[in-house]
């Protein structure tokens, strides 16, 4: 009986130690995936519209960033983008608030084509399914007849 108790205690200790090792490995993997490898800023100007975009690129290929859209005769849109590059195209979700009204957030899909140092904001057909908007599968995104072409600029901390 005493040997059985010691055996159970030994198994429990081994289990706890292996769980802690596994947890520390997962923390290391998460830190490596979240390692920031570059920050790039862009600006697009069209007539009286100004769009500012800051993109953070992570080691795992993920993209996050901030975008401010000051469009003529409309409230300013301020928000965040999250996405990833697929080939030369950044597919992202833009979550933003409009004007000073912080209680309601909006979320739109966006696609940016990278050509050299330029990002081109594409136009595509969007549909809403279960309250979430997304590009219509199978429909092309137009990167030729567009308003907003972002050029690389120096990042300025505000």
């Amino acid at each position: 009986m005493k040997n059985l108790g010691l055996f159970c205690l030994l198994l429990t200790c081994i289990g706890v130690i292996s769980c802690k090792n596994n947890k520390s490995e997962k923390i290391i993997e998460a830190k490596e995936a979240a390692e920031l490898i570059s920050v790039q800023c862009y600006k697009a100007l069209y007539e009286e519209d100004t769009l500012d975009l800051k993109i953070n690129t992570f080691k795992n290929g993920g993209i996050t960033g901030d975008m401010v859209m000051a469009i003529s005769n409309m409230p300013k849109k301020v928000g965040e983008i999250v996405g990833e590059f697929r080939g030369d195209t950044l597919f992202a979700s833009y979550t933003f608030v409009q004007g000073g009204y912080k209680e309601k957030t909006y979320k739109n899909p966006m696609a940016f084509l990278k050509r050299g140092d330029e990002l081109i904001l594409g136009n595509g057909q969007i549909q809403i399914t279960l309250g979430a908007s997304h590009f219509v599968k199978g429909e092309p995104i137009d990167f030729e007849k567009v308003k907003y072409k972002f050029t690389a600029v120096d990042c300025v901390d505000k």
Side-chain angles (χ1 to χ4, degrees):
M1 188 69 152
K2 189 175 184 181
N3 287 339
L4 182 62
L6 287 174
F7 181 72
C8 290
L9 181 63
L10 179 64
L11 281 177
T12 303
C13 289
I14 291 172
V16 168
I17 290 170
S18 68
C19 286
K20 286 188 178 189
N21 286 343
N22 192 13
K23 193 181 280 186
S24 65
E25 288 173 10
K26 288 180 182 177
I27 290 171
I28 290 169
E29 287 174 12
K31 283 182 182 177
E32 287 176 356
E35 184 179 330
L36 183 66
I37 58 173
S38 73
V39 176
Q40 182 66 51
C41 295
Y42 296 90
K43 183 180 283 287
L45 301 171
Y46 179 79
E47 295 176 355
E48 295 179 19
D49 303 347
T50 303
L51 282 67
D52 292 301
L53 175 64
K54 180 178 180 180
I55 293 179
N56 306 307
T57 305
F58 294 90
K59 190 173 184 177
N60 67 354
I63 302 288
T64 64
D66 302 305
M67 186 160 63
V68 177
M69 300 177 79
I71 299 173
S72 178
N73 300 318
M74 290 183 68
K76 185 185 278 190
K77 297 175 184 174
V78 178
E80 299 176 342
I81 66 164
V82 175
E84 65 182 1
F85 271 98
R86 290 186 223 143
D88 58 357
T89 306
L90 169 60
F91 289 94
S93 179
Y94 179 45
T95 305
F96 61 96
V97 294
Q98 200 162 280
Y101 189 64
K102 308 262 188 248
E103 286 77 30
K104 186 169 185 178
T105 59
Y106 300 90
K107 193 170 191 174
N108 285 337
M110 297 191 137
F112 300 87
L113 179 64
K114 185 162 180 65
R115 280 193 192 148
D117 289 339
E118 190 175 63
L119 283 177
I120 302 166
L121 179 58
N123 296 318
Q125 188 175 352
I126 295 175
Q127 74 180 27
I128 298 173
T129 306
L130 299 173
S133 59
H134 54 88
F135 289 110
V136 175
K137 192 172 185 173
E139 291 293 321
I141 298 172
D142 178 27
F143 293 103
E144 298 301 321
K145 300 174 192 160
V146 297
K147 288 184 184 180
Y148 304 115
K149 292 184 179 184
F150 292 82
T151 56
V153 296
D154 290 334
C155 293
V156 179
D157 289 333
K158 294 179 181 177

